Amino acid sequence: MPGSNDAVFVCAVLAGDTSAYGVLYDRYARLIRAICNDTAGNLFEAEDLCQEVFLRGFQGISRLRDPERFGGWLLGIAHLTCREWHKKVRRERRRRRSVELDQIAPPLQSNAREFAEPLLFAIGRLPRRERMALHLFYLQEHPVETARNVMGLSRSGFYRILDRARRRLQRLANARSEKSK
Amino acid sequence: MQQENGLRRAYECFSRRHAALRNELLTKIRDGSFDARGPIRLTRRWPWAAALAASLLISLVCSAVFWFRTPVAYAVADIPKRLAGCDSVLVDGWEDIRGVRYPIHLYVQRGRYLWETSVAGVNDRVFSGYYVSDSEHYLDVSDQDHTATYGQQNPLAFELAVQGVLQLGLPEKLVGPNGSNFIKTGESSLDGCRINIYEQRSGGHQRVIWLNPATGVPARVQLFEPGEDSREKQTAQWTIATNVSPPPDLPSFTLPTGYAVIRHDRERNEAFNIESVGGNGDTFQVLCDLNLEGQAILLCWQRFDTNRRAVPTTQGDASIESSSMLDFRLANGRRKYFAISLRDDPWTDGHIAHWTLLVPENGSRVDRAMISFKQARGSMSMNLLPLRFDRTRLAQLVLEVQQVTMPAGHTALNLQELENMAQRFTER
């Protein structure tokens, strides 16, 4: 069960078995991509950020005190990586503003928003815990187990937040359709 | 229900390319080919303590260097740079193919000669051959199809080939594709010279470099792999001499007897040594790449689908394959290059030769690059190893290489113009 036996694979990675890291990647990469997409709003960039998170995770796995908490620890890395990315983008935007480069080259993020479904965009506007509940529910095989691991929620607590997220999402969708009318 | 289906569909995008990305990550981890930037710190409680520790460490290292200064030793990492600076290199040795040791020779002299023997195992048979060239003629002899192809050499093709051997081919042959993780294991002497011995072990394979510290170039390289009786088996040995005159047995351009003779004079459009990568008919080729003194890469490339009935023939079609569809990154995969499209030239077989200037996003120096193509059904990537030249020659070459693909009546961008363009991006 994911979350409950992450420790086995973490120990295997520490023993030099890199394929075990592949198993952990299979468990968490989709979730990390979704979290990165919330920040980047661009799937290509989210994929790159996700790879960065896993590389950093691999480099620091020997410092993980409780292998059972791998998921939560990796999510911490993801949040910090996203924060660094966001700072970097803001810095670069400020620097770029004065230079008209588009005449020479296509914009750096020409693929931005290509995959940004309206629904994903709306999810990105939800409060963090509600967003995380949705990500977990739709991307993790055993969402409650992972939620317990990374969000410290009970089963009922998780479903309560999930329900709230869905209702808020519905309201956002309704408001959007009314606006378009 | 509608919302539920919509959500499930929206979340599917995070599974897109999962397998390819997984392979990419695990390959990077196994190769160790990612930046050793270190794990991210989750707590930053004692930044002053870290700063104090760092300054103490720096002063300790500085005083150690000052008081215990040792003679400068050339490391394995410097070998490619040393080889690229040689005027000539001679390699003699052997390679084991299916238990038989076949002789191997290579002699390269800048601007004069290139001589290479080759041995290849095809099914149950082993074929040998050789290639000899100067800036005017070449001769390519192959035992496989029993042919001897000869003709006039293209001077630009010869120059790029010689530099390719000195800067890329030879260093990779001697040091291996991954030049890291060498450990100094001892010292010895060879032909009266003091030698440092370095070893690299990887998956049971071992590479031993006998490095001459006086020249910074290997004097001997040995390869070993696990044998059948669990003992190590030597599979290759090369002896290297640098800045030497041509060997007496350097083959002439006289056609050997008993071979089918083919005459083929190399045209201007054969000047490039093409590197390819592809799958499912989608082919990407690098025609030419030059390192503009660490500031940018001048790249010429083409991409085509061999399964398509109609290949792009016009400038209009070429825009479909623009550089914005590619992902150019530094060799460690972290930072991007800005890809500035310079020109699209009609090229052989109806393809388009795209000229692109690559400028590192963070203003760092150019060394190697990695190109990846994100496709609907997976991704491909290729390493780019741009050649270096001294500034005078580089300024001429920049024009010469562009003229290879350029239609009559057009003007090539000169080195200064390209550098100015790169500068604008670097200064951002």
Side-chain angles (χ1 to χ4, degrees), chain B residues 364-384:
Chain B
S364 59
R365 303 287 290 172
V366 164
D367 181 17
R368 296 175 171 210
M370 190 171 71
I371 311 171
S372 350
F373 328 98
K374 297 196 176 184
Q375 297 175 302
R377 281 185 291 172
S379 66
M380 295 189 287
S381 64
M382 181 183 196
N383 285 322
L384 205 61

Side-chain angles (χ1 to χ4, degrees), chain B residues 6 39 46 65-66 68 75 149 167 169 178 197 227 242 249 283-284 302 305 313 400 410 419:
Chain B
W46 309 107
V65 167
F66 183 78
F68 306 103
T149 310
Q167 294 185 31
N178 175 15
I197 299 174
T242 52
D249 52 350
T283 306
F284 181 88
Q302 60 177 344
D305 189 345
T313 52
E400 284 176 33
H410 286 63
E419 282 178 339

